[in-house]
Amino acid sequence: MRDVIVVGAGGGGPVVAKELAAFGLDVLLLEAGPHYTDPRASWTHYENDANNPLTGFLRFGPSDRDKPAWLREEPQNSYVLQLAGVGGTTQHYYGNSPRAYRGLFAGYDGPDKDAYDTEHAFPFPYEELVPYYEWVEATLPVQTAAMGTKETVFFRGAEQLGIPVQTTKDTLRDSYRPQENAILQPGGTAGLTTDPARLRYPQATGCTYCGFCLEGCMEPIKAPRNQFAKRSTDNSYVPMALTASAWSREGRDVTLIPDAFVLKVHTERRGGRTVATGVTWRDTRTGERHREDAEVVVLAGGATETPRLWLGSGLPDPNGWVGRGYTDHFLDGVTGLFDEETGSSKGPSSAARCDFPGRGALEQLGLPPAMQAFTMALSDSGIRGRYTNGRGMQGPWDGRAGRVLGPELKDAMRNGIDNLVNILILTGDDVQARNRVVLSAFPPDEHGAVAKVIMNGRARTRRTVDNREFLARKATELLRKAGARRVYRYDWAPLLLHVHSSMRMGHSPDDSVLNADAESRWVGNLYVADNSALPNALGGPNPTLTTQALATRTAEKILTKHFGGTPWVRTGTPTPSTDPRISQAL
Amino acid sequence: MERRAFLVSSGLAGAALAVPGVAGAAEPDDAGLVRQALSRLAVDTFSGLAVFVMPGPDLYSRVQGTPRPEPGGIEARAPQFLVEHLNRYLPFPDRLAVPIMRALMQGAGGLALPSPRDDAPGGVLGRVDAGLRRLLENDATVPLAPVVALLLNLEAVRVAPLAVAGPFLSPFARLRYARKARVFELLEGPDPTLVSLFDRHLPEPLKGSVSGLLKFLAGALLELTALGAYSEWAVFDPDTRRLRGRPVGWQVSGYTPSIDGWDEHKGYYQGRKQVTG
């Protein structure tokens, strides 16, 4: 009998595991995918090897790469970009760690309050989350990004948009800034040389500007795992969880089991109430099944797999909101072709952004060639110049929105991968009940009925559509002012990599699954600590930091409610995940 | 007649004719002949798709009407990339491939395919028909790549009936660029004729999902081809985890990675290294 079982070692689960382990709880952390303990021995920086959604080491599938990936049914033109493995989808994120917009929290009364989906607001005020933000920002740590060439180009355009530069963590108005990134900033020779002999730790520390954020971070060479530049949870929270006894006086090391796909959450009736008691998981290498019980179960499999597990376990769903309200930032992209060198493929992949509270955000996006081609080929507007699928929006960009393909794609790529600037559009999108995860009617896999992700990209609310169009115009304007010779807009089909709120917490029991403590409304001792617990899409800012702040708050609720502990975030001092005691203990 | 039209228009009959030794005596079920024909047809069809996404100096690009001097999808081995990924790495492809193939065979009449003018020589059409029927009756595993190829080819002859004959094994590969785009417009649409065919002939649960499946398939084919063609896949040695040459995508885009770091650090915007509040 464990104290706590955490299902999923992605962006949120390891946060709960680490925080509770620091207080001596017996925590079991289960992860469906592999644990890459020596990335340099297992990984490369090659795009297909890393990111191919069917075969890459960063895929949603078992650790044996000769076996097929795991299926999710997508009944529309869309692309679920989801990872299994310790670190989850943070293995290939860009470390962007902005705080959410205040307008998406209870009690917000700013002059722009009508610009937000207040119907699905956080069930507590923004100020309630700030100490947890600060705790996570110090733990990861989150730092202000440095510049490479591509950032200087981006800032040149942003300076002319007529908005100020932001110099605070909190975002209060339209503004631009270097990202607050969960990336250790370059130190020593990092960022100053291409010579591998001079890029070894500790001569080089932090980000070496290799340009491979998307392929999983393993820099600098020979650095201890908790000193790798990008603070994906496999480099930050997981090492802390595994070494809790080394850095916390009361700490107890977490037990991590990778290749363990959880099949079922068990419950029993206790005192007239249904409570969670444990889980059964399947060893994906041997097929063996195991069961383990715990006082508290925390689901953190992600916005797609957590509802799948819930529904597959037959847990209650009396208001029908399990899996509903799936938000995705209605992502879109624009690309500018420049005559000058931009260094698009070099350095941290996203180190600059603009925020437009009430609308969403823009962030600069550097890509190597295969992902560049992939993103240019993705659209809901058909193939540019040939057909539009009834869309093909026109605006300040060149021609219609759509897939850039064939000769045109080749011409754009021949402009030079390092003469491009991409801008990602993160739309403040409304929660809509119709966008959801259900169990597929397709044949089940070895883990039961698979998830079917229903994401209707064409039936968004008016506000969501308006926000996206506003941002696409702003992004184009920024590129033009920075000197782009040509600008493409894609009108992406749903690219599901920022996904949230499918198990949303909320004020109203009518349209939420979790209460304000992120505990299930209908099953006791059962919490959710991934992006799916977010009540909304935060208005556009990248979700990982907020998920981690919320997961820290959830850990505090669990300790105080179930284990007699006292809150620590407002009174304690966080240990940074780079602490040398962790390096030594690993 | 409908079945013959299906076998010819999908390119399967032509692909069977190209199988070495096909002129010999009929085998008891000829399933092996059909398997070989399907395999050849898949590579040829995906050659037409590879150059649609990334044209180059090859014959497929010339026939498409967009030849380019730089290496393209054929040199990047995108056809082999697609075949391998569709056949091997998608979860339970046979559970999709077999019912879709059956539905196409049974419902080909509804597609108004061009009538074959002559029977293929040597009774090959009959052998392919019998072999294909046996393959499906036996519940054998059918890979997904050739089924996707059949779909592209059937749409190709609906868009351009004359594509039923010409160079290559695949009608899709015979199309000009604009016509290939029309095939994808139909699939992304998705093509109401195909949807109604599948609705009539597919078992549950595929029946209700087919419209979404076509949209997903059309998008995924284009995006996966772009990803594979511009990646290092063709020259990557999985044993040594090194490249055997410079990937086509890198040549085209001028990409040269510096494996462990770049000298790109230009300082901090306005000198600001941290913010608070």
Side-chain angles (χ1 to χ4, degrees), chain B residues 40 46 60 63 127 147 175 250 256 266:
Chain B
R40 284 165 172 264
F46 291 145
Y60 290 93
V63 167
R127 290 180 62 188
V147 179
L175 298 182
W250 297 15
T256 304
K266 310 287 184 198

Side-chain angles (χ1 to χ4, degrees), chain A residues 198-547:
Chain A
R198 298 177 63 212
L199 289 171
R200 290 172 180 271
Y201 183 89
Q203 187 182 8
T205 59
C207 181
T208 63
Y209 272 69
C210 73
F212 299 118
C213 294
L214 198 61
E215 283 85 57
C217 186
M218 50 183 173
E219 304 295 343
I221 301 165
K222 298 283 187 192
R225 187 65 186 265
N226 69 323
Q227 303 284 353
F228 283 0
K230 194 177 77 177
R231 314 310 293 156
S232 44
T233 57
D234 51 324
N235 298 335
S236 56
Y237 278 95
V238 169
M240 290 193 90
L242 296 178
T243 62
S245 62
W247 56 267
S248 170
R249 200 160 42 83
E250 306 164 57
R252 177 172 177 168
D253 298 347
V254 164
T255 305
L256 167 68
I257 305 182
D259 303 300
F261 202 111
V262 174
L263 305 172
K264 187 175 172 64
V265 177
H266 299 285
T267 60
E268 67 180 32
R269 296 291 289 177
R270 205 183 285 166
R273 183 155 190 253
T274 300
V275 295
T277 59
V279 301
T280 291
W281 80 89
R282 177 181 177 274
D283 185 319
T284 63
R285 295 160 306 175
T286 65
E288 289 169 0
R289 291 175 180 231
H290 304 269
R291 174 168 177 162
E292 191 131 15
D293 294 323
E295 180 65 24
V296 169
V297 176
V298 180
L299 305 184
T304 303
E305 292 303 309
T306 290
R308 174 202 185 182
L309 175 58
W310 187 287
L311 295 168
S313 298
L315 297 178
D317 180 20
N319 65 8
W321 269 81
V322 170
R324 284 194 190 272
Y326 197 101
T327 51
D328 68 337
H329 286 163
F330 199 10
L331 298 178
D332 199 356
V334 296
T335 298
L337 275 52
F338 287 73
D339 290 327
E340 66 182 298
E341 169 91 13
T342 62
S344 183
S345 71
K346 304 171 184 177
S349 300
S350 180
R353 70 186 291 120
C354 294
D355 283 278
F356 298 92
R359 296 288 197 177
L362 308 177
E363 62 178 37
Q364 169 259 320
L365 188 73
L367 294 168
M371 286 307 291
Q372 183 72 47
F374 170 86
T375 57
M376 295 178 88
L378 175 70
S379 179
D380 197 24
S381 281
I383 296 171
R384 262 173 57 88
R386 302 294 170 176
Y387 63 98
T388 64
N389 274 350
R391 291 170 70 91
M393 289 79 95
Q394 290 180 293
W397 43 88
D398 290 285
R400 288 183 178 276
R403 300 182 195 274
V404 177
L405 216 63
E408 192 173 33
L409 174 59
K410 207 168 186 193
D411 285 338
M413 297 293 280
R414 275 174 57 77
N415 190 67
I417 195 79
D418 286 325
N419 293 69
L420 305 176
V421 171
N422 300 298
I423 296 182
L424 177 69
I425 290 159
L426 306 107
T427 305
D429 56 328
D430 291 342
V431 171
Q432 292 180 271
R434 65 193 303 164
N435 294 326
R436 62 188 300 208
V437 176
V438 296
L439 294 182
S440 171
F442 277 11
D445 67 12
E446 61 270 37
H447 306 126
V450 303
K452 177 177 182 174
V453 182
I454 300 168
M455 195 71 212
N456 189 334
R458 294 179 168 225
R460 312 280 185 156
T461 66
R462 179 65 185 268
R463 176 168 49 204
T464 301
V465 172
D466 286 352
N467 286 349
R468 196 182 195 232
E469 295 306 301
F470 171 88
L471 293 165
R473 286 169 185 271
K474 283 289 180 194
T476 305
E477 194 185 338
L478 187 154
L479 289 173
R480 297 261 194 233
K481 287 181 187 300
R485 182 166 42 77
R486 190 169 179 76
V487 178
Y488 291 116
R489 181 187 174 194
Y490 305 114
D491 180 28
W492 281 343
L495 178 57
L496 303 173
L497 52 88
H498 284 187
V499 290
H500 350 67
S501 55
S502 55
M503 301 289 288
R504 58 183 306 273
M505 59 165 29
H507 256 312
S508 170
D510 297 335
D511 64 5
S512 60
V513 179
L514 310 174
N515 65 21
D517 290 347
E519 186 175 16
S520 160
R521 291 187 176 282
W522 315 301
V523 183
N525 304 12
L526 183 60
Y527 292 78
V528 177
D530 53 34
N531 284 12
S532 70
L534 299 172
N536 53 55
L538 316 178
N542 317 50
T544 307
L545 178 77
T546 304
T547 292

Side-chain angles (χ1 to χ4, degrees), chain A residues 43 147 159 169 219 387 410, chain B residues 55 188 241 260 266 277:
Chain A
W43 291 358
M147 287 189 301
E159 284 164 357
K169 297 255 191 194
E219 304 295 343
Y387 63 98
K410 207 168 186 193
Chain B
E188 280 206 78
R241 299 193 295 135
D260 288 302
K266 310 287 184 198

Side-chain angles (χ1 to χ4, degrees), chain A residues 60-140:
Chain A
F60 181 65
S63 50
D64 181 352
R65 291 168 70 191
D66 286 333
K67 290 185 177 167
W70 292 319
L71 181 71
R72 288 123 319 162
E73 184 187 354
E74 295 174 69
Q76 67 267 319
N77 177 16
S78 65
Y79 223 99
V80 176
L81 208 56
Q82 171 193 358
L83 304 191
V86 173
T89 308
T90 67
Q91 289 172 105
H92 78 168
Y93 87 141
Y94 290 164
N96 301 150
S97 302
R99 296 179 180 180
Y101 298 148
R102 288 166 179 265
L104 273 304
F105 287 76
Y108 181 73
D109 200 27
D112 62 343
K113 66 180 177 186
D114 292 337
Y116 303 95
D117 183 8
T118 47
E119 201 181 325
H120 300 95
F122 274 77
F124 49 78
Y126 179 79
E127 289 70 23
E128 158 86 22
L129 202 58
V130 169
Y132 301 96
Y133 274 138
E134 291 170 345
W135 184 273
V136 176
E137 287 162 348
T139 303
L140 283 167

